């Protein structure tokens, strides 16, 4: 997700951030400065020092961070 995106995935992200007290507004589905700031606050609280990016194209249904590996059996 990036600044200016507007879709259901952004609305769901905002709803989850709101549950965690990182987003204090009703979810709109628009990714702007408020959402970006909430994501940064969440990442900071988790101890992440750099943004996490997906290794899959948008809409693929996977949100694995770049560099992660699937579990092996």
């Amino acid at each position: 997700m990036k600044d200016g995106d507007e879709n259901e995935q952004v609305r769901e992200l905002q709803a989850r951030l709101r549950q965690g007290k990182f987003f204090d507004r009703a979810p709109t589905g628009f990714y702007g400065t408020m959402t970006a700031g909430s994501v940064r606050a969440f990442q900071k609280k988790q101890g992440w020092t750099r943004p996490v990016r997906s290794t899959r194209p948008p809409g693929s249904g996977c949100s694995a961070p770049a560099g992660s590996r699937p579990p092996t059996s």
Side-chain angles (χ1 to χ4, degrees), residues 7-33:
N7 56 51
E8 182 61 24
Q9 288 177 323
V10 175
R11 192 206 61 75
E12 185 175 327
L13 170 65
Q14 292 169 333
R16 290 176 185 259
L17 289 168
R18 187 174 184 190
Q19 287 176 336
K21 309 293 187 217
F22 293 98
F23 192 75
D24 63 356
R25 299 174 183 232
T28 63
F30 179 77
Y31 195 107
T33 55

Side-chain angles (χ1 to χ4, degrees), residues 52-58 60 62-70:
V52 176
R53 299 197 183 259
S54 174
T55 59
R56 307 253 178 168
S60 67
C62 178
S63 58
S68 66
R69 297 180 181 203

